[in-house]
Amino acid sequence: ALYKQAVSPFGLDLSATAIVEKAAGHLLVALAAVFMERSVRARILADLASEDSSRLLSSFRCVLKGVCEGEVLLDSTCKFVGRTECLEQLLGLAPEELTSRA
């Protein structure tokens, strides 16, 4: 063989190809770790935001029940969101009648 492979005193392969392969492997592991950490962090933040919004809505409804006769939650198109028992009782309408008027 005309090509002689460079070997360190510790028996490690020091050829350019081996060094590039090892560096690429380490880079892939590092990138996978960064990707996993960011995905887990994003998931945790989304869960916390969801819990906070649910808690906020629940607290808001408790406050409204203390000061108002009833509450209605509307979406961005002013449609009723969820059941509206208080409004049904205040207006004396059945749930179906109320939904048809929304």
Side-chain angles (χ1 to χ4, degrees):
L2 297 175
Y3 174 71
K4 191 172 183 181
Q5 188 173 4
V7 177
S8 75
F10 301 108
L12 298 174
D13 184 8
L14 294 179
S15 68
T17 307
I19 291 172
V20 169
E21 285 176 356
K22 287 184 190 259
H26 290 296
L27 181 64
L28 285 175
V29 169
L31 288 174
V34 168
F35 174 75
M36 291 294 291
E37 188 234 341
R38 288 190 179 182
S39 342
V40 168
R41 186 180 299 245
R43 176 63 187 247
I44 289 171
L45 290 174
D47 286 346
L48 289 175
S50 174
E51 288 176 17
D52 286 345
S53 64
S54 297
R55 238 184 269 132
L56 181 63
L57 181 59
S58 174
S59 300
F60 181 67
R61 282 190 167 168
C62 286
V63 169
L64 280 179
K65 285 181 182 178
V67 245
C68 300
E69 300 268 338
E71 91 271 354
V72 175
L73 184 62
L74 302 173
D75 65 8
S76 61
T77 61
C78 292
K79 301 276 183 190
F80 297 123
V81 176
R83 285 288 314 269
T84 54
E85 293 94 1
C86 292
L87 188 61
E88 293 164 10
Q89 289 175 359
L90 286 171
L91 298 176
L93 297 173
E96 300 80 35
E97 293 176 300
L98 197 56
T99 357
S100 66
R101 294 180 185 207

